């Protein structure tokens, strides 16, 4: 078939081939070795056959999928001058998928990755993606997670999809729907840092390298590092409900509250504490850091509800509580409160709550 | 982020919304009900949480992933005038993934689907995709296969990725590497029909509706229907090795031969028999139908090696045999023969063997 025009892409180094100059087999031969990890007993058949075969010792597995598309989920070049590298995209691909597995209380076991690459993509991009994916798994504590297969294809724009499986280790999955009034709302990881980071990256006033606090926020957007081991830890501690903060605290806490039939009351002091590390970015950009905490999702922190009085497993910290939903139809009443009142946002936001992929 | 210009897309019907006019939740509310199938006991947690939970009663599962991208894997409008519909894309998505599971001898159990949709995509496209996916599963005999989750996002072009899991039902997986000299090479399903179909669709001399034989070949490209139940049947019959014909008989038989350390000898009479239904297309286009049989992959037929003398399970038919690989390094000697000799192709083909995604 004809090859369509490609989207703007990274420029190859002098002499570096682009993926369209290699056969699929040649490209695989360069990328697959970078995905190898020490032999894992639960990978019964690894890459190279029609399917992988993975052990599921407790007779079940969890399964999720997530896609990142160029210029939707990452920019190859940001207005501040920083690029998104293949390595960054690999880390983020791991983060968004592993956090979903962790939010069930499961341990990530296996990944299949599909890469869509315009023919003009430098070969170093998928190589760096592979390095970033593996490094991300290690940094997030997903030491048992192996890439067991994948797909390579061409397209107009860079797109990466991963499907990840996890092992519940004999425990019940922690669903969104198990929260009960009186439960303690607890957060592992961060929220708002990646949103502050994207605001910086999008703004030419941000000068990378000039302030390590700002660079740390930009890095939270480019290379999020959710605490994957905290998911199983919460399950072992008796978590009643859990969700991955992928679309923002208000929106995701609202999903948990709706699924569980409770109201979530966020502690304003805790939200203020989460906002404090964002102050330097807010000062530079004239923004309200609390908005980032309430609506920023891409840190992929884990939000859990634990029984009142249960010790919180590390690194969870309490940020609110669950209250009974008022009787009658939910209607327009908010599912998520801030110190007992409907939260107000300084920034305008169409949905008022978080990220929507099809928002115009 | 900014919304990039979209690739050419189907035109919405008068008054029909496009996906960019709906929120993610509104779009999901339209698509998810179309993916519902009768309750399946092995789906322990279905769509709507961070992950699905799927039973793996024999303590293992198989896992694969495949992506289709607009203008790479399907054309929305073909030169002959036929469109690729969302329904077609759904069927093909099921076919290419389920055939991989079947080629391990496994029964498909669960799917997660990621759809990348330009904002100007008519809402009927993902709806038709869902209908086609479910209808495809039914037509292919994958009655236990349930969509358990997914992802929706925006992009410049339509792209669909599915990851599928399967249940080995206590049997060993059938790998590519188990073939032995003396084994019978057998095919379930077809090969070459989808390749003839794409040649027709790409050619304005083909007039859809004028000749049902040609229309059948075009349909094999648009809506392939591999015999998914034949995979587990082959495993029960003692298949030594198996592969899904996704990249062409020569290329995929060569992969099986290389993994097994054998030479595959195709029976020229059998290849001729497979070519006969392609004669009307070959006559119209001035092509050699045998080339389609040898290099066309998208029918997703199953190629298995069974022990000599074992009865072939239906619908497998013998199309060749396995011989010992000659001693010494493989080097340039062909792994796949036709009646004992290196096959020659009438059509030029860069790799000489089948489809390569990055072929210039």
């Amino acid at each position: 078939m004809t090859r369509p025009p490609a989207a703007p892409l990274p420029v190859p180094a002098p002499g570096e081939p682009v993926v369209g100059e290699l056969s699929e087999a040649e490209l695989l031969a360069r990328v697959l070795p970078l995905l190898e990890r020490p032999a894992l007993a639960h990978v019964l058949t690894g890459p190279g056959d029609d399917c992988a075969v993975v052990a599921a010792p407790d007779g079940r597995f969890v399964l999720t999928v997530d896609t990142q598309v160029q210029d939707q989920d990452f920019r190859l070049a940001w207005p501040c001058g920083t690029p998104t590298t293949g390595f960054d995209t690999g880390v983020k691909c791991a983060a968004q998928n592993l956090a979903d597995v962790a939010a069930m209380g499961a341990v990530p076991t296996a990944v299949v990755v599909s890469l869509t690459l315009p023919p003009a993509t430098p070969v170093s991009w998928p190589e760096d993606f592979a390095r970033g994916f593996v490094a991300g798994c290690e940094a997030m504590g997903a030491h048992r997670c192996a890439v067991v297969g994948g797909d390579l294809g061409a397209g107009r724009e860079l797109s990466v999809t991963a499907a990840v499986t996890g092992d519940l280790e004999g425990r019940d999955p922690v669903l969104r729907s198990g929260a009960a009034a009186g439960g303690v709302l607890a957060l592992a990881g961060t929220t708002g840092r990646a949103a502050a980071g994207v605001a910086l990256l999008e703004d030419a006033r941000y000068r990378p390298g000039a302030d390590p606090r700002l660079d740390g926020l930009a890095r939270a957007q480019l290379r999020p590092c959710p605490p994957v081991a905290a998911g199983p830890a919460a399950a072992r501690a008796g978590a009643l409900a859990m969700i991955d903060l992928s679309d923002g605290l208000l929106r995701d806490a609202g999903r948990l509250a709706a699924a569980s039939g409770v109201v979530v009351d966020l502690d304003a002091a805790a939200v203020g504490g989460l906002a404090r590390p964002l102050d330097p970015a807010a000062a530079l950009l004239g923004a309200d850091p609390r908005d980032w905490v309430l609506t920023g999702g891409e840190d992929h922190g884990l939000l859990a509800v634990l029984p009142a009085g249960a010790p919180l497993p590390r690194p969870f910290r309490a940020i609110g509580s669950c209250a009974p939903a008022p009787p009658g139809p939910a209607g327009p009443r908010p599912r998520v409160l801030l110190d007992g009142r409907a939260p107000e946002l300084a920034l305008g936001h169409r949905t008022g709550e978080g990220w929507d992929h099809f928002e115009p």
Side-chain angles (χ1 to χ4, degrees), chain A residues 23 47-48 61 97 127 141 143 158 170 186 216 241 274 297 328 337 349-350 358:
Chain A
S23 72
F61 58 90
N97 280 283
E127 290 175 339
H143 305 297
L158 288 163
L274 290 164
L337 307 175
H349 221 282
R350 190 178 79 113
F358 293 103

Side-chain angles (χ1 to χ4, degrees), chain A residues 51-117:
Chain A
C51 290
V53 185
V54 182
D58 93 344
R60 302 164 300 171
F61 58 90
V62 306
L63 176 64
T64 183
V65 68
D66 254 305
T67 295
Q68 287 180 84
V69 177
Q70 168 186 358
D71 301 325
Q72 292 290 334
D73 301 288
F74 60 92
R75 277 195 202 282
L76 290 169
W78 296 86
C80 70
T82 296
T84 297
T85 64
F87 192 97
D88 297 335
T89 310
V91 173
K92 195 162 174 171
C93 176
Q96 63 182 189
N97 280 283
L98 300 184
D100 279 331
V101 170
M104 302 297 283
V107 175
T109 49
V111 187
V112 284
V113 180
S114 181
L115 297 182
T116 298
L117 305 171

Side-chain angles (χ1 to χ4, degrees), chain A residues 11-359:
Chain A
V11 178
E16 181 188 354
V18 297
V19 300
E21 293 167 340
L22 270 59
S23 72
E24 202 171 330
E26 288 165 341
L27 189 56
L28 273 177
R30 294 181 72 139
V31 173
L32 271 181
L34 302 172
L35 291 167
E36 272 174 24
R37 307 188 72 186
L40 292 162
H42 68 276
V43 179
L44 307 175
T45 301
D49 218 296
D50 291 86
C51 290
V53 185
V54 182
D58 93 344
R60 302 164 300 171
F61 58 90
V62 306
L63 176 64
T64 183
V65 68
D66 254 305
T67 295
Q68 287 180 84
V69 177
Q70 168 186 358
D71 301 325
Q72 292 290 334
D73 301 288
F74 60 92
R75 277 195 202 282
L76 290 169
W78 296 86
C80 70
T82 296
T84 297
T85 64
F87 192 97
D88 297 335
T89 310
V91 173
K92 195 162 174 171
C93 176
Q96 63 182 189
N97 280 283
L98 300 184
D100 279 331
V101 170
M104 302 297 283
V107 175
T109 49
V111 187
V112 284
V113 180
S114 181
L115 297 182
T116 298
L117 305 171
T121 308
V123 168
S124 59
W125 201 91
E127 290 175 339
D128 285 344
F129 174 89
R131 291 188 189 100
F133 192 92
V134 169
C137 286
E138 282 303 320
M140 294 166 216
H143 305 297
R144 284 176 54 201
C145 186
V147 176
V148 298
D151 190 24
L152 281 173
R156 279 180 181 81
E157 61 190 349
L158 288 163
S159 175
V160 303
T161 298
V164 183
T165 62
D167 177 11
L168 288 161
E169 299 183 321
R171 296 181 296 271
D172 285 339
V174 184
L175 305 180
R176 299 176 177 184
S177 53
V184 174
L185 190 75
L187 173 71
T190 60
T191 175
R193 294 174 64 86
V198 79
L200 289 167
L201 290 162
E202 291 275 20
D203 199 301
R205 284 174 291 178
Y206 164 53
R207 304 280 179 85
D211 182 337
R213 298 171 306 169
L214 301 179
D215 296 344
L217 296 173
R219 200 159 49 241
Q221 166 63 219
L222 296 172
R223 300 185 183 181
C225 192
V228 169
R236 283 191 291 269
L240 303 169
M242 190 152 45
I243 190 169
D244 146 50
L245 292 183
S246 53
D247 295 326
L249 182 55
L250 289 185
R251 178 173 286 212
D252 289 320
R255 288 172 173 153
L256 185 149
S260 297
V262 299
V263 164
V264 163
D265 193 10
L266 298 170
D267 178 46
V271 168
L274 290 164
R276 210 154 302 129
L278 316 181
D279 282 343
L284 177 69
L285 305 177
D288 183 335
R290 220 188 46 153
D291 280 12
W292 288 325
V293 169
L294 293 174
T295 66
E298 292 178 291
D299 307 51
H300 296 286
L302 299 177
L303 188 71
V305 176
L306 286 119
L312 294 187
R314 291 178 61 184
F316 281 94
R317 78 205 91 166
I319 65 164
S321 58
C322 296
R333 283 171 309 190
R335 285 277 185 193
V336 183
L337 307 175
L338 190 63
D339 274 358
R341 301 167 61 176
E344 284 170 27
L345 297 174
L347 284 169
H349 221 282
R350 190 178 79 113
T351 67
E353 289 190 348
W355 174 251
D356 187 304
H357 273 96
F358 293 103
E359 196 175 320

